[in-house]
Amino acid sequence: MVVDGLPTQLGYLGLGVSNLDAWKGYAANVLGFEVLPPDDDGTILLRMDEHNHRFILTEDTRDDLILIGWEVADEQNLTALTERLDTAGIAYREGNAEALKRRRVVRLIEFEDPNGIATEAYCGPTINRAQPFNSPRAISGFLANEQGLGHITIVVESLDASLHFYRDVLGFRMSDWIRPQLERGVESDLNLAFLHCNQRHHSMAFWQGEMPKRLHHFMVQSTELDDVGATYYLCQQNDVAIDLSLGRHTNDQMLSFYMKSPSGFDVEFGWGAIEVDDSNWTVQLHTNGSSWGHLPAEPH
């Protein structure tokens, strides 16, 4: 057994949302997630695979990302991760019994990333195979489980500090870079960094800058192409704004579109991404974000 303390997947996200009812309807009827009964404090958990939950919704006026949860293989690896944090001079604390009960995990630690985002690393998530994931809408399911829930793209205060933290301390591997994106009128030296922690092309991407929200989008990947088209149609039926049309990305080759969530940040809904084999992967540079499509929609 390799004990290196490296995260194995993006396990869960905490979203602070101002309208829980709108999110429950959107999660179930558009995204196709299971909405679990609320916790005692009103927290809403969303399920998309055999894990008990992948999203944690709490009432919060920020309408933004408030928590990132990274899974590690076991308790030995979580201890190894604390040693990596100690070496880097990053403070952390052990999750207490209440935190373990709230997250449904065996053990967790709590710390912050360089951007002040609350972060948790944990092991032993609750898996519910006795009651398989059952979407409330017609959908084949999601590519998740050992690859994690999908990916997130965030805006960071310092590209160098975030690279040091995620790559050098937590141990993520570089996938590639994109700069600039002339097809979208981007003429700056904007650098987008893409990092992976398993075979998913990237579990995290970020760039340095300023935006109203920390979270630009999270991505979920369906197991069938038809689900992308059906979800696009559902957005049109339910007046869910589409920010970027159907397209295929250059780096992960995902076929996807971007829709507006009830909190204002985007959700990318995709299919067909390539996977990373670390034994032969080499870091690449792309000078545009999409081979075709992903064009801004008409003003809403």
Side-chain angles (χ1 to χ4, degrees), residues 129-282:
R129 294 197 179 101
Q131 295 178 308
F133 167 68
N134 182 26
S135 175
R137 54 159 284 208
I139 194 170
S140 64
F142 298 97
L143 183 62
N145 293 319
E146 72 276 2
Q147 290 196 22
L149 67 89
H151 75 237
I152 54 173
T153 297
I154 64 174
V155 183
V156 300
E157 296 168 9
S158 166
L159 184 69
D160 289 342
S162 291
L163 276 174
H164 172 67
F165 178 79
Y166 285 103
R167 181 190 58 197
D168 304 332
V169 178
L170 295 192
F172 285 73
R173 283 87 73 194
M174 291 299 303
S175 299
D176 44 43
W177 296 83
I178 294 180
R179 69 171 189 265
Q181 298 182 68
L182 298 177
E183 80 280 13
R184 299 198 184 106
V186 178
E187 298 178 356
S188 70
D189 291 328
L190 184 69
N191 290 303
L192 286 89
F194 297 79
L195 300 92
H196 64 276
C197 60
N198 54 46
Q199 64 267 41
R200 189 183 293 280
H201 176 273
H202 60 283
S203 292
M204 164 164 279
F206 49 76
W207 76 89
Q208 180 177 314
E210 294 184 6
M211 289 187 67
K213 297 183 187 295
R214 178 72 67 190
L215 180 63
H216 180 269
H217 73 269
F218 69 77
M219 184 284 302
V220 294
Q221 183 173 344
S222 62
T223 57
E224 298 291 341
L225 174 58
D226 278 354
D227 293 330
V228 179
T231 306
Y232 199 95
Y233 181 58
L234 274 175
C235 289
Q236 295 172 323
Q237 281 186 314
N238 292 276
D239 295 321
V240 175
I242 294 171
D243 274 350
L244 294 178
S245 66
L246 281 168
R248 188 180 287 277
H249 282 304
T250 51
N251 59 348
D252 67 357
Q253 299 177 38
M254 177 86 72
L255 190 152
S256 65
F257 72 96
Y258 292 70
M259 66 182 105
K260 188 75 76 178
S261 75
S263 291
F265 53 75
D266 279 356
V267 175
E268 181 184 7
F269 198 100
W271 168 86
I274 61 173
E275 296 181 354
V276 170
D277 180 351
D278 278 315
S279 68
N280 58 25
W281 185 262
T282 57

Side-chain angles (χ1 to χ4, degrees), residues 85-97:
L85 294 173
D86 281 334
T87 300
I90 297 170
Y92 67 89
R93 59 184 175 273
E94 288 281 344
N96 59 24

